[in-house]
Amino acid sequence: MEAERRKPIPVEEAIEKVMRYRVEGSSETIPIQACDHRRLAEPVMARHPVPAFDKSPYDGFALRSEDTMNVTQDNPVEFEVIEHIGAGHVPKKRLKPRQATRIMTGAQIPEGADCVAMFEVCQSYEKNAKPYMSIKRKMQTGQNIIQKGSEIIEGEVLVEKGTWINPGVKALLSTFGYNMVKVAKKPVIAVIATGTELLEVNEPLEPGKIRNSNAYMITSQIERAGGTAKYIGKLPDELDESFEKIKLTLEEADILITTGGVSVGDYDLMPEIYKKLGAKVLFNKIAMRPGSVTTAAVKGSKLLYGLSGNPSACYVGFELFVRPVIQHALYNRNIYLKRIKAVLAEDFPKPNPFTRFVRSYISYDGPTVHAHLSGIDKSNVISSLANATALMVLPGGTRGFKRNDIVDVLLLNDTDGEQHFL
Ligand code: AMP
Ligand code: MG
């Protein structure tokens, strides 16, 4: 039987094709304690001004600046200290001329006061068992007062929908009383590994067999991308059994990833399974390395990814074609991997007939970012994945690259993303 001829399409075109079938996001409301690493399904709004009252940035004395008008180094002015307020307490007394309030950082400014003098510039003492203080400096109106609403005005949009919740976002959520947070629901993605050679992690190695690492790698990539992985299991290369299981799984999942069996080998059953399912194949050959056999198909509104069995190809196929679909469902507007420029740290002599995505990591040398290969650059290799935090992009139609050449690098652990792929 002659192998089928497939026409490779550019990576950008393949991305565009899957994005036409992307799933739309939905939201759920969860307790603030559980919202880390999720994405906002609504913007964070300032529900009140910050600060909500005029407050002191220092420990010191609140007073009327006009009382210090004629003060000099030799002619201090004396104040009667009429109240003492700590943060969280509300001043009850209004200041009259030559009266001051002892005030702590974060406490509300009393009525009548228009400035705060730090302890360091005041002299405190007692007279007839009553507290007094004196100051030798002129104070300005408004000096050392954090004005109500000076940081944030009520109604302001502080963080956009789709933003990844980091500790700072969580601080804002709590500031404004978001006890419950509306976040994007994690899309659920089913995973099936195919291959008669596969053993499960708990099984001892046997001649001719390998352990199924793709399923675990992919579930981990799904989680990193913000989805929920549902590992269905592994299938031997047997048509009927595989078809039935995939058909059944598709009834329950919106997106199904299979690994293996998408090439043109004798036991590569996925093309036949797509046919039997009546799924429309969007592409089955991409002008890229690794992962040129990466396949995507649609059945109704459901996306099926047939990722290569080769671990590195499988990994890259996920990051390029599945991750943006997940990010879209999470309301991220920048669905693509963050892209930076870096200086190649070593020679890469291989020519690149197709666009090459090289497993890499970056290092910093002063202001310069260097891109390093994370291991052997072959699609069947697993060892280069553990150190990979980035994918170097070497455009198709180029010869080898040299140390110190400038290359594009896609960052795998970033949460901001990019609006366009390249
Ligand atoms: P395939 O795409 O099915 O032709 O598989 C290509 C290569 O990837 C073969 O050497 C397989 O043994 C290997 N492979 C397939 N599936 C997995 C898996 N789940 N985990 C690790 N390696 C795999
Ligand atoms: Mg196989």
Side-chain angles (χ1 to χ4, degrees), residues 113-130:
D114 69 347
C115 66
V116 171
M118 295 161 76
F119 278 155
E120 288 83 337
V121 301
C122 304
Q123 273 267 314
S124 315
Y125 49 92
E126 285 194 357
K127 270 194 335 195
N128 305 325
K130 282 172 132 185

Side-chain angles (χ1 to χ4, degrees), residues 177-197:
Y178 285 81
N179 181 40
M180 298 296 286
V181 184
K182 202 170 156 194
V183 296
K185 234 185 194 160
K186 295 176 171 211
V188 179
I189 301 178
V191 177
I192 294 176
T194 76
T196 302
E197 73 276 33

Side-chain angles (χ1 to χ4, degrees), residues 17-57:
K17 283 189 183 220
V18 285
M19 287 313 291
R20 265 182 237 156
Y21 296 92
R22 66 195 175 201
V23 285
E24 292 307 323
S26 57
S27 65
E28 62 184 331
T29 302
I30 60 171
I32 188 168
Q33 290 82 352
C35 77
D36 291 287
H37 307 172
R38 303 291 298 267
R39 284 188 186 269
L40 293 169
E42 63 180 5
V44 180
M45 288 257 293
R47 291 173 169 171
H48 54 71
V50 176
F53 49 86
D54 290 354
K55 65 159 82 168
S56 174

Side-chain angles (χ1 to χ4, degrees), residues 407-419:
V407 291
D408 278 316
V409 175
L410 307 176
L411 302 182
L412 296 167
N413 292 319
D414 160 87
T415 54
D416 294 339
E418 203 77 60
Q419 213 176 342

